[in-house]
Amino acid sequence: MRILLVSSAFNSLTQRVYTELRAIGHHVGVELALGDDMLRARVMAFQPELILAPMLTTAIPEDIWSAHTVLIVHPGPEGDRGPSSLDWAIHEGAHHWGVTVLQAIDEMDAGPIWASVPFTITACGKSDLYRNEVADAAVEAVLLAVDRFAAGQFKPEPLDYLRPGVLGRHRPYHSQQTRKIDWAADDTRTVLRKLRAADSQPGVLDELYGREYYLHGGHSEDKLRGVPGSVIATRDGSICRATADGAVWLPELRPRRMAGRPTFKLPATDALGSDLPAAIPEIPVTPAMASLRDTWSELRYFEAGAVGYLQFSFPGGAMSTRQCLSLLEAFRQACARPIEVLALGPARDFFSNGIHLNVIEAAEDPARESWLNINAMNDLVEAILTTTDKLVVSVLPGNAAAGGVMLALAADEVWCRESVVLNPHYRLMGLHGSEYWTYTLPRRVGATTAERLTREALPVGARDAAALGLVDRVFPGSADIFWNSIRQQLQELPGTPELANRLMVKKQHRAADELIKPLGAYRSEELAYMRENFLSESYHELRRDFVHKARATRTPSHLLS
């Protein structure tokens, strides 16, 4: 079936729907919602049998939805209406929510219902929830709605608030007045709900040291206490702020837009800069200690028998120079432990999206910071590639892109959740790419497929990635179910003859590959291209547009089909 996806952005959910529909044989096109006339032209050219909107912030023109079946994905249960569905759900502490696929009519979110799938809300930020539980429910609802449409027998149910099970309601925009934190009165649980409901957009507007910032992200703290509202500690670029009965960690801040100048998220300590008093202590925590506490840490490490687990969590999946070096040090420490298998990956959400473009944009010399960042990424990847006495497994509960994909490929095996979407390319940022991808990608998928993946710059779903050889194993289920399966499988490896043989062969292959072409040669060749990229205005312009979320003027050519 010819299905046209209309979306305000080619975001994670749109990519997930795109890969899922293509995997089952549908001909899928994409059109960004950039204007009614452009949408009309694309509909006329594509001639869709069905129009589907996974993420839409504007209305579809009446002449389109009256002539075509247009299905809208709404992140709320039946009857829920309004632009801030997830914000309200998290803010009010809801335990159960849903995703509804409804038909476009003249009233927003009020059309006949084609499918609705419930889910349980996990205590996490809105963006994390959106990419996990919401996305899983949305895909299930979309595939059900598409099947019902294709069968031609299903009659969508009109929205009726008197019908049992229709529990949603119309909700207004979730304003900053509602989000406002009263640090002296709000307990930690309330503060966390407000912060998480605003993650990653729009953030919670607040004041620090005489300036206004949007607060992004919120994590609990089990020990530190202080005067409510005061900043009492820093760690990993985050700041810890006291609440009425405890404290929370704030990983990122965004200065309020002033004098028409756009602003963007940065690690909290970077955003505050010299305004952060020197007296505020940096209170580190080791990865091993962090795994035993309810506190913020980018890195956690624990062991179960001869299996080590090095988990990392970087906001938005971006990895700055500092974060790469921290993870490299934690990796080396883990490798020094008496373990046979090392699992590398986050507990939830993004694996990695490569270098930290926001930190680079804020740097005094973005080209120099880009160079430092890519070399730090390369150091990390090289350390993984040259670890021959342990089996390293990249564990992907969430998506990865660009250098983050290549970071995963440095391991001996890549295990991912069936919901994962990979973007194994750099072209859209005007980069040749590094992280030893010219070594790791072709050896997994072959030179021809490697060239196609990097040239086409399209997302790849988990099952297709497995078929290509890009990943080794795909696991079903939620993030929790996924990790339970991972741990069970990993625990069966140590002490077996198979593992001993695998490590012996691994060492032999690495030595043979080094004789054919040293890793240093791959790195030098890649960095020669990257040096030119970092000096080119094209890269800097594309990076600025990405960081400042510049609105596209047309649907990118690589999405047209």
Side-chain angles (χ1 to χ4, degrees):
M1 185 161 54
R2 295 180 65 83
I3 302 176
L4 180 64
L5 302 185
V6 178
S7 186
S8 295
F10 197 50
N11 70 337
S12 60
L13 178 56
T14 306
Q15 292 184 30
R16 174 89 181 276
V17 171
Y18 175 86
T19 59
E20 295 278 358
L21 291 174
R22 281 168 56 102
I24 56 178
H26 294 293
H27 182 191
V28 185
V30 178
E31 177 69 12
L32 300 185
L34 302 174
D36 292 352
D37 287 341
M38 285 189 284
L39 179 56
R40 291 185 181 103
R42 186 66 194 287
V43 170
M44 182 174 295
F46 190 79
Q47 291 294 304
E49 298 168 74
L50 176 66
I51 298 174
L52 184 63
M55 193 281 286
L56 200 61
T57 58
T58 58
I60 298 286
E62 181 178 357
D63 58 299
I64 292 180
W65 60 254
S66 60
H68 301 267
T69 299
V70 178
L71 301 185
I72 310 293
V73 178
H74 178 72
E78 293 186 44
D80 181 83
R81 298 177 61 193
S84 305
S85 180
L86 288 179
D87 307 60
W88 283 111
I90 297 171
H91 180 92
E92 295 179 347
H95 296 292
H96 303 282
W97 207 241
V99 174
T100 303
V101 176
L102 48 89
Q103 191 163 337
I105 60 171
D106 54 349
E107 284 189 81
M108 292 286 284
D109 306 328
I113 296 166
W114 281 79
S116 188
V117 173
F119 64 88
T120 301
I121 292 181
T122 298
C124 63
K126 179 176 64 174
S127 56
D128 185 345
L129 186 72
Y130 182 81
R131 285 186 289 267
N132 285 279
E133 285 80 2
V134 174
D136 290 347
V139 167
E140 184 179 345
V142 163
L143 295 181
L144 177 58
V146 168
D147 284 347
R148 286 171 170 173
F149 176 81
Q153 305 297 320
F154 182 78
K155 292 184 178 180
E157 191 133 22
L159 177 59
D160 181 0
Y161 284 100
L162 298 178
R163 181 164 53 84
V166 180
L167 303 177
R169 65 181 188 275
H170 189 280
R171 298 168 185 264
Y173 174 71
H174 203 267
S175 67
Q176 286 295 336
Q177 184 177 358
T178 304
R179 301 181 194 274
K180 185 175 178 59
I181 295 172
D182 184 340
W183 292 96
D186 288 345
D187 61 17
T188 301
R189 182 177 299 180
T190 300
V191 172
L192 284 174
R193 284 205 305 263
K194 290 181 177 181
L195 290 168
R196 288 169 174 171
D199 172 32
S200 62
Q201 290 295 334
V204 175
L205 185 61
D206 203 6
E207 185 175 307
L208 280 164
Y209 306 114
R211 298 176 185 267
E212 287 188 308
Y213 295 89
Y214 291 95
L215 316 180
H216 293 275
H219 301 268
S220 55
E221 163 58 31
D222 56 3
K223 293 183 179 180
L224 299 176
R225 300 293 183 266
V227 177
S230 63
V231 177
I232 56 178
T234 64
R235 179 188 299 150
D236 294 343
S238 299
I239 58 173
C240 186
R241 199 166 180 188
T243 65
D245 66 343
V248 296
W249 288 94
L250 306 173
E252 295 182 311
L253 302 178
R254 176 170 59 92
R256 188 174 188 178
R257 186 184 183 100
M258 294 182 295
R261 292 179 300 174
T263 62
F264 49 91
K265 290 181 289 185
L266 282 171
T269 55
D270 289 1
L272 290 171
S274 60
D275 286 342
L276 183 67
I280 304 297
E282 172 80 10
I283 301 182
V285 62
T286 66
M289 184 58 68
S291 69
L292 302 174
R293 291 183 52 192
D294 183 16
T295 188
W296 163 252
S297 178
E298 292 178 331
L299 304 172
R300 298 179 186 274
Y301 179 77
F302 59 93
E303 293 177 358
V307 180
Y309 296 85
L310 177 54
Q311 296 186 333
F312 51 87
S313 177
F314 302 123
M319 297 173 62
S320 67
T321 303
R322 177 192 64 79
Q323 290 166 326
C324 291
L325 295 176
S326 295
L327 182 53
L328 173 59
E329 178 61 24
F331 178 81
R332 286 172 172 163
Q333 291 177 2
C335 287
R337 297 285 302 161
I339 57 174
E340 298 179 49
V341 179
L342 178 59
L344 186 67
R348 287 173 56 94
D349 210 10
F350 287 121
F351 182 83
S352 170
N353 287 323
I355 60 176
H356 203 312
L357 298 177
N358 284 31
V359 169
I360 291 170
E361 178 68 15
E364 184 176 344
D365 185 343
R368 180 175 183 275
E369 181 57 36
S370 299
W371 184 252
L372 293 173
N373 202 165
I374 198 62
N375 274 282
M377 282 288 292
N378 280 343
D379 290 344
L380 174 60
V381 171
E382 182 182 9
I384 299 171
L385 285 170
T386 55
T387 297
T388 56
D389 62 338
K390 292 171 177 59
L391 185 74
V392 182
V393 179
S394 289
V395 181
L396 280 67
N399 300 344
V405 176
M406 309 314 166
L407 172 63
L409 298 189
D412 302 299
E413 294 201 8
V414 180
W415 297 1
C416 71
R417 196 157 76 91
E418 65 180 357
S419 60
V420 163
V421 174
L422 303 177
N423 277 280
H425 53 80
Y426 303 83
R427 182 171 68 84
L428 302 183
M429 199 51 60
L431 297 175
H432 170 271
S434 193
E435 293 99 357
Y436 297 90
W437 78 265
T438 53
Y439 170 63
T440 59
L441 188 59
R443 75 172 179 170
R444 274 191 164 270
V445 303
T448 301
T449 300
E451 189 279 330
R452 177 178 63 80
L453 290 173
T454 53
R455 171 176 46 82
E456 290 182 349
L458 292 173
V460 182
R463 287 185 293 275
D464 284 344
L468 291 172
L470 197 58
V471 305
D472 299 287
R473 301 186 63 178
V474 177
F475 295 80
S478 66
D480 287 342
I481 293 173
F482 169 74
W483 266 109
N484 287 337
S485 300
I486 292 291
R487 292 190 183 103
Q488 181 180 350
Q489 297 294 319
L490 290 176
Q491 294 306 134
E492 296 176 358
L493 296 174
T496 62
E498 290 80 8
L499 179 59
N501 182 66
R502 176 79 182 271
L503 293 176
M504 181 184 67
V505 171
K506 172 184 177 179
K507 186 175 294 187
Q508 292 171 346
H509 282 174
R510 176 83 286 280
D513 286 352
E514 190 70 12
L515 287 175
I516 296 170
K517 183 175 181 178
L519 283 178
Y522 289 98
R523 179 168 180 159
S524 296
E525 291 169 1
E526 292 172 358
L527 287 179
Y529 286 106
M530 294 294 278
R531 184 181 290 107
E532 294 299 318
N533 292 157
F534 291 153
L535 294 175
S536 72
E537 182 53 34
S538 172
Y539 158 68
H540 294 292
E541 182 178 347
L542 289 168
R543 187 196 65 249
R544 283 192 295 268
D545 287 348
F546 175 86
V547 170
H548 294 291
K549 303 187 186 317
R551 189 171 186 265
T553 58
R554 59 181 178 82
T555 301
S557 58
H558 72 284
L559 297 180
L560 301 177
S561 59

